Amino acid sequence: MKVILLKDVPGQGKRGDVINVAEGYARNYLLPRNLASEASQGKMKELAERQQANALKGEKIRREAEELAARLGKITVVVQTKAGEGGKLFGSVNNKDVCDAMVLQHRIRLDKKKVILKEPIKQLGEYSVVAKLHPDVHAEIKVKVVGEQV
């Protein structure tokens, strides 16, 4: 029997998949628990339209991420912090500090979880930081750490 999964079912497939299962499994387990529905022509057409709409939406999100990556590649974010002798910082600069400085200087708001630092910055200087904007789109941000003027 052909069914369309309404939810992820371990060992069978993910939501939206069309699978063949035994009729008893479908009638006694999948259908009563609203995990699947019968794959009629109307429901198959509805599923195809929904998948096409999701693909268009996903492509739009990817394009927006690529545009943002192009903007981020052109900017330099300056982070001011207290530093001691030899350019060693009191504390460190982390991804939250980079995001806060980006909002103040360039009015670009990013989630701090998308900015990836291998380790916190502990020295004055220029660094390259990666922002993961989309599973396929990464942007490189130039971060300049300078000491505060007292």
Side-chain angles (χ1 to χ4, degrees), residues 43-61:
K43 290 192 180 183
M44 292 293 286
K45 185 177 178 184
E46 182 182 317
L47 175 67
E49 289 172 358
R50 193 176 318 126
Q51 286 176 338
Q52 185 178 14
N54 286 342
L56 290 173
K57 186 177 178 182
E59 185 59 34
K60 180 183 175 192
I61 291 171

Side-chain angles (χ1 to χ4, degrees), residues 69-150:
R71 281 180 57 199
L72 290 175
K74 297 175 185 174
I75 66 172
T76 300
V77 179
V78 179
V79 179
Q80 288 189 344
T81 186
K82 293 182 182 180
E85 290 195 23
K88 191 164 171 80
L89 301 182
F90 296 133
S92 62
V93 174
N94 57 24
N95 52 357
K96 183 181 182 315
D97 298 325
V98 173
C99 290
D100 292 344
M102 196 178 317
V103 169
L104 292 173
Q105 295 167 21
H106 303 286
R107 299 200 183 353
I108 297 174
R109 188 174 305 276
L110 279 182
D111 184 13
K112 69 179 182 180
K113 294 174 188 165
K114 293 185 178 191
V115 176
I116 301 167
L117 284 172
K118 292 177 184 156
E119 56 187 44
I121 299 170
K122 296 184 180 190
Q123 289 278 7
L124 296 179
E126 290 191 26
Y127 298 90
S128 181
V129 177
V130 176
K132 190 173 183 179
L133 305 173
H134 185 271
D136 301 329
V137 180
H138 302 288
E140 200 167 293
I141 305 166
K142 294 180 195 112
V143 177
K144 186 174 184 179
V145 180
V146 297
E148 281 184 351
Q149 297 175 356
V150 187

Side-chain angles (χ1 to χ4, degrees), residues 18-32:
V18 178
I19 59 171
N20 281 318
V21 294
E23 193 166 333
Y25 181 62
R27 299 240 180 262
N28 296 324
Y29 183 77
L30 296 175
L31 297 177

